[in-house]
Amino acid sequence: MSATGIGAPVRRIEDYRFLTGRGTYTDDLNQPNQAHAYILRSPHPHARIKGIKTAKAAKAKGVIAVLTGADVVKDDLGGLPCGWQVTDRHGKPMVEPPHPILVSDIARHVGDQVAVVIAETHQQARDAAELIEVDYQVLPSATSTAAAAKKGAALVWDQAPNNLCYDWILGDEQAANAAFAKAKHVAKVDIVNNRLIPNAMEPRAAVGVYDAAKDHYTLHTTSQNPHVIRLLMAAYVLKLPEHKVRVNAPDVGGAFGSKIFHYAEEAIVTWAAKKVRRPVRWTAERSESFMSDAHGRDHVTHAELAIDANGKFLAMKVYTIANMGAYLSTFAPCVPTYLYALLLAGTYTTPTIFCEVKAVFTNTVPVDAYRGAGRPEATYVVERIVDEAAKVTGIDAAEIRRRNFIPRDAFPYQTPVVVQYDSGDYQSTLDMALKQSDYAGFEKRRAESAKKGKLRGIGLSTYIEACGIAPSAVVGSVGARAGLYESALIRVHPTGSVTVLTGSHSHGQGHETTFAQLVSERMGVELKNIEVVHGDTDKIPFGMGTYGSRSLAVGGSAMVKAMDKIIAKGKKIAAHLLEAAEADIEFKDGTFSVAGTDKKKALAEIAGAAYVPHNYPINELEPGLEEQAFYDPSNFTFPGGCHVAEIEIDRDTGVVQLVNFVAVDDVGRVINPMIVEGQVHGGVAQGLGQALLEGCVYDADGQLITGSYMDYTMPRADHLPTLKVSTHNTLCTHNPLGVKGVGEVGAIGSPAAIMNAVHNALAPLGVREIQMPATPERVWRAIHGARRAAE
Amino acid sequence: MPAVSMTVNGKKVSADVEPRTLLVHYLREHLGLTGTHVGCDTSQCGACVVHINGESVKSCTVLAAQAEGAKVTTIEGLADGDKLHPMQEAFREHHALQCGFCTPGMVMSAIDLVKKNKNPSEKEIREWLSGNLCRCTGYHNIVKAIAAAAQTMRG
């Protein structure tokens, strides 16, 4: 390992600009002659718009234009498209309602876009929006996930009876029932996977620019995947050819999935920029983010696990209701199906699994992928029910896991839920985590806590995830309307420095460093001579973006392919210059040499010859040294590992404090261990947020109760202990780097570990199921409810 | 519109602004100092922390007019040429930032902590940071960086 190559904890190249206030986020991009957009949003969860009067607003100081749904209809704009079509249990496609960028007839959630005011200043636009008179006829609304499909629930869409988007199954229910008939024990759980609001610290923003001279549009936006936005917005909403549209996603201040999707505001500012012939900018106020960023999770699940006399799992049945919100966001339908049910085998050999998912519409903000997307939900079901299995069988929680693990010599392992795991070593990650957390010494610590009047619990989660998303043909066969490859272009300049153009997008992951390390190691070029460029559709040939922990596994693999092409071409040039056979040329540490001789040429000399081809095999080779590659993975990658959480509960206040947290993850080959640890820290904090603090709440009238940081509890520094994070890696067998991905593991494994610890602490009191978030109020009520029941 | 004047990062500045203009908007929109960020509208997130006369303040809670005549330091004013402030350097060394959006507020806030408490414990650092939200790092490395910077700054 070199000091800057694969495996080195290189300090991040991008940090200097962020630390000196020179990052360039979308809201920092001021344009000459810019105007400001303010979006008027529905205050009602469900209301018919009987009329909109905009005359007063249009005459207000500074106002340039007021646009409504009628203008969208008049200009024949399309709606926001959905990128995934799920087919239900009867072979019928899901119900796919329209998703207008400004509603003209019915608003379907609090925050739905009703009108846009464009003015000289943000304040003027905001003030004028208050002068718009909307005549709403309030309609009955449905917001509860569990109740949306029940008789008597208000209908969100006439075309979706019982509010059902789809009723989807995987597996054979009869086969599962047959296995249950033979079971010695059955574990059951009823769980709610709480609705979360992603809350990247940078609010979404968009700036539209129209160049009349070239009839060309530019959208600067807070996106994880600018090419995807260009395609969706140009082809489906604005009906423009892609070559007339540039989408630029500059520095993006965190995303966690919420900036994958194509949002109405992106299309609105781009459309409006042409209408008013000025750049139009919009930045969400945080309260707007709460009611317009796609939310995450929101499942209600009943699950059962059949277990034999030896504690071996025989079969599992899972019945889930998943909330889609009022509209289908870009990837919403695949999250509770293909990113969920395919993970229900977990790390175990459970031979038979049946899963039913009913996706429902409600009068709430659309729900889509949020860090982990489907896989935290699956992990929570599996790891909670495995703990319940430990309880009903009387087997220790670690031991029952060990008895059911897929053995380390059983890979590749075909699960009963479609996917085939390529590698893993669940026994070792468990053993290491148990040791590091002193699992054996827990009862002593529990007794010490009890002396202080506190309840102590320990919990495990031996999770799996599928990422490195995804083989295009596989996802295409189950409804994806996109390919999920990635592109890379490696440009060796005439003096030997290198520009790497990647379709992946960095919004905190540190790609500018990790990718540079990868290229440095492979090409033998110093880090200072490598620049990684991402985010701009005018620079990057194409890209599918960053989500599903795919950037290194898919985007990095594309770079390897492109570098292989560079090296192959370089060998041809070197053979010519060194008057040797191409087969005798070796490439190592940036130097081409003739095997067994001291004849050699540096990469910079080869590049020089390629761009100044005076002495060059011009009849066989084109000049230049630049190669592009697309990589389409042959399988998902399967990171896994073990998280152990230890918590203490104050009986009087119900406050749960995480006192120790150990993560031993298998993320495949590590390029930069410092960045890998940082990714796990952040994921665990979000997992702790889900388990103990965060939860989106709508009241019975459909109002969003958690609409600001005053009432949505974000994890803060004093909610967390120092985290003990390490890796035990097995290599991915099907990509050239052996990498698996690390962006999501922290958020996938940790909620179950923390909640298993909470249950472990409360079990002696007779508390059975407590739902996330385990807030002080919930825990206090559980403690005192159990005490009353005992009395 | 009243003219509001102050000294920002050692430079005298003045701009005509609406009376309701917040200091953060004065900095971002009128002075082009976009290193100070806006992450919320309820003064919870701390992305906008700057120093006013040496004290850390959320610049979204202060009218520009209230800072009339004050000495304001923003993230752009910390480094000495290319040489980073020890707090900036510690954040880089300990990987205390990922997306970078909360970072300016974190750094400005942390410097004030170390000014007031030269040797803060982990608990004191975590409590001090209750006014600064970070969604990326889990705070782990931020806490480490602040402790390390405090040591450097003690000399």
Side-chain angles (χ1 to χ4, degrees), chain A residues 108 233 388 615 733 775:
Chain A
R108 286 185 166 83
M233 181 176 78
E388 196 58 28
N615 176 17
T733 60
T775 58

Side-chain angles (χ1 to χ4, degrees), chain A residues 465-479:
Chain A
E465 73 148 316
C467 61
I469 289 171
S472 293
V474 174
V475 295
S477 71
V478 294

Side-chain angles (χ1 to χ4, degrees), chain A residues 637-716:
Chain A
T637 60
F638 298 96
C642 179
H643 292 179
V644 184
E646 200 162 323
I647 59 101
E648 228 178 24
I649 297 174
D650 184 321
R651 304 174 82 113
D652 297 331
T653 62
V655 170
V656 180
Q657 186 71 36
L658 183 65
V659 293
N660 194 23
F661 192 91
V662 170
V664 181
D665 300 299
D666 175 356
V667 300
R669 190 186 306 285
V670 169
I671 308 287
N672 184 322
M674 176 191 82
I675 287 177
V676 162
E677 286 183 16
Q679 288 293 308
V680 177
H681 296 153
V684 170
Q686 285 174 339
L688 168 125
Q690 166 152 40
L692 301 181
L693 306 168
E694 299 177 42
C696 169
V697 180
Y698 282 93
D699 71 8
D701 297 326
Q703 283 298 327
L704 177 63
I705 299 300
T706 48
S708 81
Y709 289 146
M710 307 288 277
D711 26 48
Y712 184 90
T713 314
M714 292 277 281
R716 291 173 189 269

Side-chain angles (χ1 to χ4, degrees), chain A residues 516-659:
Chain A
Q517 284 180 255
L518 167 60
V519 172
S520 173
E521 170 105 10
R522 205 120 178 149
M523 303 279 288
V525 176
E526 283 185 80
L527 281 186
K528 66 174 188 191
N529 288 325
I530 300 169
E531 183 166 56
V532 176
V533 178
H534 61 90
D536 187 341
T537 62
D538 264 12
K539 292 180 182 163
I540 314 299
F542 202 75
M544 291 307 296
T546 286
Y547 39 84
S549 304
R550 68 192 304 271
S551 300
L552 191 56
V554 188
S557 296
M559 286 173 207
V560 171
K561 275 184 78 178
M563 286 189 279
D564 286 348
K565 291 187 191 179
I566 295 267
I567 293 164
K569 185 172 180 180
K571 283 184 176 173
K572 288 190 167 69
I573 301 168
H576 175 87
L577 294 177
L578 297 169
E579 296 175 336
E582 188 188 328
D584 292 336
I585 303 292
E586 292 173 345
F587 179 72
K588 201 176 168 228
D589 299 334
T591 303
F592 294 88
S593 57
V594 182
T597 74
D598 60 356
K599 294 200 317 189
K600 59 186 179 188
K601 290 276 180 194
L603 177 65
E605 293 175 274
I606 297 297
Y611 287 98
V612 188
H614 296 166
N615 176 17
Y616 194 79
I618 199 79
N619 294 329
E620 296 144 42
L621 277 186
E622 293 172 18
L625 200 54
E626 166 172 323
E627 296 288 349
Q628 187 179 344
F630 282 73
Y631 179 81
D632 199 289
S634 61
N635 193 0
F636 294 86
T637 60
F638 298 96
C642 179
H643 292 179
V644 184
E646 200 162 323
I647 59 101
E648 228 178 24
I649 297 174
D650 184 321
R651 304 174 82 113
D652 297 331
T653 62
V655 170
V656 180
Q657 186 71 36
L658 183 65
V659 293

